[in-house]
Amino acid sequence: MDRKKGQPDSTDWVIRSVQPGGIERIEAWFGSHGYDPHRHDTYSIGRTLAGVQSFHYVGSLRHGIPGNTLVLHPDELHDGMAGTDAGFRYRMAYIDPAMIQNILGGEPLPFITGGLSNDPRLFHASETFVQAVDHPLEALEQQDALYDLAMALRAVAGKPRGRKRLDYRAAELARAFILEHLDSCITLEMLECASGRERWSLSRDFRTLYGTSPYRFVTLRRLDRFRSLVVEGFTLVDAALVAGFHDQSHMTRHFTRCYGIPPMRWLERLRAAR
């Protein structure tokens, strides 16, 4: 899946790898503008391979260079662009906060200030996830790496931000309910019944534990389904409807907000890497 050596970087491209039940990983090259401001509901853990990777994050312009570790917190607004005329190449892994919570057991998610770190603990702990995307991760390899990453995030972030008294069990019940009922019109009342937790307390805990709101979590899971379908060859219209959106325009609005580019442009970049 890796790009052939010697092939010119004249077109923006993205190579994507998603193992069943695993972690989405990409390698990409951009000559100038990469993405408009957007937010993921995952940790974005990455490494700049060449050039300067610039992005606005928490009110400042940051510059990732080889040797840094990028750690973007779930649901934090950011964009992406080349910091010089030479363009930039990078790898990124998108890690579900629930995977980190399985290890931390209900602590507020660690937050790495500034989105960049030179800490060797994070550099080494993220190494597994920023291998070439044609290297599939074995189950035990991924589990070991997730543990190391969770411990490094906790150590480097220091004191957790957010509320200390959290009902992790209730939030996990709500999360499981959402995943089982993505085809339904989910409400906070339904999540309250499923979790046994008062709806507004549940909503606050969910945000602290998983980095995003219940509604955003639902939307991103539907977009995950949409992306899988269009890669398989579904039309944008059909994939949008099957994934649970009202129509294509409804899906496109959410897609652009979440990924920083329209869905057709996202597909074009994937095709350019082939």
Side-chain angles (χ1 to χ4, degrees), residues 117-183:
S117 176
N118 291 315
D119 194 292
R121 292 170 293 181
L122 271 177
F123 187 89
H124 293 300
S126 62
E127 194 72 36
T128 294
F129 301 112
V130 293
Q131 299 176 80
V133 296
D134 59 358
H135 173 84
L137 301 182
E138 298 179 22
L140 186 57
E141 178 185 21
Q142 177 173 297
Q143 291 160 1
D144 279 357
L146 280 169
Y147 180 85
D148 291 342
L149 180 63
M151 293 300 99
L153 286 169
R154 174 201 267 168
V156 175
K159 183 178 178 180
R161 70 174 190 173
R163 289 153 38 92
K164 294 182 179 179
R165 301 182 65 181
L166 306 167
D167 193 333
Y168 176 45
R169 180 180 178 278
E172 184 59 20
L173 286 171
R175 178 179 167 276
F177 181 88
I178 289 171
L179 293 176
E180 291 174 8
H181 298 85
L182 279 175
D183 293 334

Side-chain angles (χ1 to χ4, degrees), residues 10 12 14 30 32 40 42 45-46 73 78-79 94 115 120 189 199:
S10 58
D12 294 346
V14 177
F30 296 118
S32 55
H40 306 284
T42 60
I45 310 290
H73 197 76
H78 62 281
D79 55 11
Y94 300 98
E189 289 83 358
R199 68 192 67 174

Side-chain angles (χ1 to χ4, degrees), residues 89-108:
R89 183 170 180 163
Y90 72 104
R91 292 178 184 153
M92 192 77 78
Y94 300 98
I95 298 176
D96 185 345
M99 292 179 170
I100 301 298
Q101 282 298 352
N102 286 339
I103 298 161
L104 298 183
E107 298 177 11

Side-chain angles (χ1 to χ4, degrees), residues 36-130:
D36 291 334
H38 63 287
R39 299 179 294 156
H40 306 284
D41 69 337
T42 60
Y43 274 111
S44 301
I45 310 290
R47 191 79 48 82
T48 304
L49 303 178
V52 179
Q53 181 177 2
S54 298
F55 58 99
H56 292 91
Y57 185 75
V58 195
S60 298
L61 181 62
R62 317 288 182 176
H63 304 285
I65 58 174
N68 293 145
T69 304
L70 286 81
V71 185
L72 308 184
H73 197 76
D75 238 13
E76 287 289 351
L77 190 68
H78 62 281
D79 55 11
M81 68 205 77
T84 70
D85 292 338
F88 70 99
R89 183 170 180 163
Y90 72 104
R91 292 178 184 153
M92 192 77 78
Y94 300 98
I95 298 176
D96 185 345
M99 292 179 170
I100 301 298
Q101 282 298 352
N102 286 339
I103 298 161
L104 298 183
E107 298 177 11
L109 287 175
F111 184 85
I112 304 301
T113 303
L116 285 170
S117 176
N118 291 315
D119 194 292
R121 292 170 293 181
L122 271 177
F123 187 89
H124 293 300
S126 62
E127 194 72 36
T128 294
F129 301 112
V130 293

Side-chain angles (χ1 to χ4, degrees), residues 188 198-208 212-214:
L188 269 180
E198 184 272 323
R199 68 192 67 174
W200 301 116
S201 298
L202 173 66
S203 182
R204 289 193 298 269
D205 286 358
F206 196 99
R207 292 167 188 259
T208 303
T212 195
S213 70

Side-chain angles (χ1 to χ4, degrees), residues 4-8:
K4 295 179 181 178
K5 293 181 179 179
Q7 190 168 347

